[in-house]
Amino acid sequence: MNKNQEAISVRLLTADLTDWVLKDFINQYKTTLKEVVVLPSAIRRAKILAQGSSLQIGAVIDYPLAQGTLAKVAFEIGRAFMEGADFLEVWLPASSFMENDRGFAELTETIRSLTLTGGEIRLAVQTEIMNELTKIQVAQRLKEEAWSKIVLGQKQPLAEALHDVSLFSLDGGSQLSIQINPDTVDEQALQSLQAAGAEKIGLSYHVFEELLKDQPSPDVL
């Protein structure tokens, strides 16, 4: 895997993902990929398949709608860590970040306490459905709270993905590590996203495998 692709986080999140596909994918790439993200129901199986490697297994919480209550989110986080997840993406509505919503402080306090007994937690937001002002407000709230990790969007068009990375890199504070999830990517796009401020690029396994087909050598991975 080349330097640009080391930032890739592969997302195995389709509801119809079969155990066979999960097994085949992890067995093929577990010694070269850094991480994969699965639905909560697949955490335990993915951890078993990843044994003997350094592959990190992540999972999504309250995905994709981000409409759960704090109690529901906290329960799902705790259960996911008990299943063995190394890190979690906790999907939240934009309203959670607004200054007049006291729930954000309660939520971040709860999440931080849960990380003491589990792994890493990344907040995640659907930037593709936000207007520009809301994006800026969310980024500024992250800066105020000194939050360290954010995941942006669900399969965003590349141009929008580049824009959102730049915005959150500028307004979210120097402490903020950004992951973006574009709907497609090539080597040039990987470089552009990283140059704009993305530390991680989340790709569906279909997009990831299409990217590999474009490589000049069969030994890329």
Side-chain angles (χ1 to χ4, degrees), residues 169-190:
S169 181
L170 178 65
D171 292 329
S174 59
Q175 86 294 338
L176 190 62
S177 172
I178 300 170
Q179 174 178 325
I180 190 71
N181 302 324
D183 60 357
T184 186
V185 79
D186 56 21
E187 281 293 329
Q188 183 177 355
L190 283 178

Side-chain angles (χ1 to χ4, degrees), residues 49-183:
L49 292 170
Q51 285 180 352
S53 74
S54 60
L55 181 67
Q56 298 282 291
I57 303 299
V60 288
I61 300 298
D62 210 20
Y63 172 91
L65 299 179
Q67 297 296 321
T69 63
L70 175 59
K72 176 179 180 291
V73 169
F75 174 77
E76 290 185 357
I77 290 172
R79 183 172 59 183
F81 280 142
M82 288 182 63
E83 291 287 310
D86 297 299
F87 65 92
L88 300 174
E89 293 178 9
V90 180
W91 286 84
L92 302 172
S95 59
S96 298
F97 295 82
M98 299 299 102
E99 290 185 3
N100 60 353
D101 190 333
R102 297 183 62 184
F104 183 75
E106 182 182 359
L107 176 63
T108 53
E109 181 179 350
T110 299
I111 286 175
R112 284 184 168 123
S113 67
L114 289 167
T115 61
L116 298 177
T117 56
E120 175 187 293
I121 291 182
R122 307 168 186 174
L123 301 186
V125 290
Q126 293 172 274
T127 46
E128 70 274 14
I129 62 173
M130 295 180 187
N131 60 38
E132 195 75 356
L133 178 58
T134 300
K135 292 176 185 178
I136 293 170
Q137 291 174 322
V138 170
Q140 291 176 341
R141 189 67 188 272
L142 291 166
K143 183 177 181 178
E144 291 170 5
E145 297 291 331
W147 193 265
S148 60
K149 295 183 183 295
I150 189 71
V151 179
L152 305 177
Q154 300 173 16
K155 297 183 180 180
Q156 286 188 286
L158 184 57
E160 293 179 14
L162 281 165
H163 171 78
D164 288 350
V165 169
S166 298
L167 185 152
F168 276 79
S169 181
L170 178 65
D171 292 329
S174 59
Q175 86 294 338
L176 190 62
S177 172
I178 300 170
Q179 174 178 325
I180 190 71
N181 302 324
D183 60 357

